[in-house]
Amino acid sequence: MKKLLFFGLSLFFMATIASAQPPTTDLLMGDGGAVVCSGNFVDSGGATGDYGNDENSVFTICSPFDTDFISLDFTFWDLAIGELLLVYDGDQATGAPLGVFTAGNVPGLVTSASTNCLTMRFISNPSGVADGWQATISCIDNCQTISNTITSTPAADGDGVTRICQGETVNFSASTVFSIDGAGATSEWRFDDGTIVPGNTASKTYPDEGIYRADYVTFDANGCRDRFFDDVVIQVSTTPDFTGTEAADTSICFGESTVITGVVETVEFVADVAPPIAGTTFLPDGSGVSYQTCIDVSGFAAGATFQNVSDLVSFFIEMEHSYLGDLDISLTAPNGSTIQIITYPNGGGSTFLGVPIDIDTNLNPGTGFVYNFTEGATATDTMAQAAGGFGTTLPAGDYLTEDPFSTFIGSPLNGLWCLTIIDNLASDNGFIFEWGINFNPAIIPAAGRFQPGEVTDQWLANSDITATNGSDITVVPTTAGQNCYDFELTDSFGCTYVETVCIDVAPEITSVQPTDIIVCQNSGSVTVDLTTNDDEIRNGLVATDYDVTYFNSDSDAQADTNPILTPDALPVSANTTVWARVFDNVNNCFTTEQVNVVFQEVIYNSVPAMESCDDLSGDEIESFDLTTQIAGILGTQSPADFNVAFFTSQQDADDNMNAITTPAAYDNLSNPETIYVRISNAQDQDCYQTGSFTIEVLGAPAIGTVANVSDCATNPTTNELDLTLADYDAAVLDGQSAAAYTITYYNSESNAQSGSSALNSPYAAGDQETIYARITDNATGCFDYTSFSVTVEVCEVFIPEGFSPNGDGVNDTFAMPNIEQFPNFELTIFNRNGNKVYETTASNYVEFAGIPNAGALAGDGLLPVGTYFYVLKYNDAQTEDVTSWMYINY
């Protein structure tokens, strides 16, 4: 059986056969067939016309299901006498027919007996026609109901179509319910590329745009299957058309901007209902030898016919042949209507098609040209009309056919479209490489076309984008070389496509503004040479690749108009600005730089001498910070405009040689020493003035020697001795005037050197402490210092046994030498009757002079001669208190 052939041809656009019935379709008698379960089967004249004379054609109608029977219910019948319609059970017009129907034998209801196909052969008379027939087509289901539930991931949209992007994978799964019995059932997934996956799950990746279908087929033990086709319809997004997405300038100079326009449209997919026939096929030499190749068109709705010349856009043949003159080429539609492309004899003579190998014994293929046949405006001649002379080649391109496309009107679209080539003369051969038919996309069924919607389009973020206007962006590339920008479309399938636009950016011209040309005077006319700055402006750029020209304004430099004709001798009499144009000879890019001619005089301002005190070594060498003089030397002149350098000779200053390299820490070479200064324009070292100042190292003042100090502790508890520091000034001065010097004291040598943290007087010195005395010259600030040591002793307190307060200057008081060592002592004196007559403490100590200050006798004058008692409390944990007596005598 050939039912499977018909099934494969029609599956691509077959509507699902379910409860909803497709529109009624008329299938016209003629060579061909259809796989349907509905519609009308009519004669070749259609529902309203007559069939033709001398018809002898075969048409097969099959159910898509092997287990069905097919039925034709003839509702109208009118044949001429002697004409026959034979109906066969199966897909071939062979064997014994089910019925032979004539003018007097009306078919009625005809049903296949053992197959799912009926094949009809119709034979009409050479003359005389009739209205023909009309029969209703139906399929008879002989099976139980088998219902599948289909799931796909990604899931289908609301219209039942699964929409994905190119390269995505779809996962399929299914489950089945049987109305009677599912025992022994099998299942498989069938894909339109011929792949079959057993079981109820499958997975498939779709790399290319287009429409694809997956059919889940379930068979029960009796061979019955579900009655649904194309369980999953997959649409794979088309690559959008970015034509028009381009830059206004594909090459720009560094720093320039350009506008890039973004244009994008989604593209409609239209199924190829007539896949071209490809493959190298030999066209043999011979007299009347015919070559035929056919394209089986099956993508149109059953019964669809050729209705307008615009239904056929064109058809093409890629071929080569060494002799056009012996060819007869034609195209035949499914109903047998034929148009001639070129008819033998045709006058084409020895014109070549393509570039053949014009040697009869060499059967290798040459180079094929594509010849396209159309009734569009681009075609003006037939092949015969365009043929040239001997050995010339008919150019590839568009040509007219000898018969019009209207010849095909009325023919079914589905069926065999056949190309026939006949070689009519001996010698010469050729090859056909490919041929195909281009039907008008507008007549392709909706099931075979789609166009994704446009959701968003945008330029992806890029720091070079400086402005956006709709889908136009302005970019200023920041790097030389190729700079690329991405325009992105996201379609309604959720697919993202990117078009990249690249711009070539010339290398940056790395020129620099040159240093000012200095005219070292305040006024007057001079001539300057601008070209001395050429290399500095180029900043290392190769001179042969970059030209430098000069202009009086930036606008002239930008426009390259009115250049300065004598840049090496430009007369100036005041500050002048010109512009240099740096031109890249390789990339035709340029930039401009400002050049200043400046009148500027240099002035040296005198500064006082610098003095520094000699250190204690007395070598008369010190470090001077000469840079502290710069502000005074410059005066009101800006430090940014002038350089100041220091030298040890006038000649070096004039020659600008051997400058002092460490002016902030310069050690004098002699004392005093003259330092020479050169002040020059920062941009022109030859514009300068010189001056000088003196540096001098001053000597330290003389200083005397202070004797070391040794004495009893003023405070034996802390073992400290209170020093009145001024007592040592005379020794430090050593006879010098106190008014000319300042003397200070320190407890460390570092403080004495720095003059910080001077001691206050009196100063409590510790035992074995060193005191530093510093003498500073009030006029110069120079100083020297010396030191002395302090020895502190804890001395015994001497208490006398008596005294004579008679005013003779000898033993007039009850003195206790060294008592001051005890800062907390208390002294109380009693008479022999035990009455207190005197008391004192360390804080208000007054030596007892015989006059009472306590008790009844306080303030009465001198006490009488006699013995008195006292208590001396040291209030010191280390010293025992004393209780004793003394005697007063006059």
Side-chain angles (χ1 to χ4, degrees), residues 63-110:
S63 167
F65 306 101
D66 290 347
T67 53
D68 281 1
F69 293 154
I70 195 77
S71 175
L72 295 176
D73 186 6
F74 286 83
T75 58
F76 177 81
W77 183 257
D78 180 24
L79 294 186
I81 299 298
E83 295 172 335
L84 301 173
L85 177 66
L86 292 85
V87 180
Y88 297 86
D89 185 3
D91 59 5
Q92 298 287 323
T94 58
L98 284 177
V100 178
F101 303 102
T102 62
N105 183 16
V106 179
L109 180 64
V110 180

Side-chain angles (χ1 to χ4, degrees), residues 370-422:
V370 175
Y371 299 99
N372 190 58
F373 303 96
T374 178
E375 292 187 349
T378 54
T380 57
D381 292 318
T382 64
M383 286 181 123
Q385 291 169 337
F390 177 81
T392 61
T393 292
L394 188 68
D398 293 345
Y399 293 91
L400 294 171
T401 56
E402 294 182 353
D403 295 318
F405 286 1
S406 59
T407 303
F408 295 140
I409 292 176
S411 172
L413 291 170
N414 291 328
L416 297 177
W417 291 75
C418 298
L419 178 70
T420 303
I421 301 176
I422 301 174

Side-chain angles (χ1 to χ4, degrees), residues 100 131 162 309 433 437 446 468 532 541 562 600 613 617 655 816:
V100 178
D131 287 340
T162 298
V309 293
F433 302 98
I437 305 171
T468 301
T532 58
L541 297 173
N562 306 315
Q600 192 173 68
C613 295
S617 68
D655 295 341
M816 297 182 292

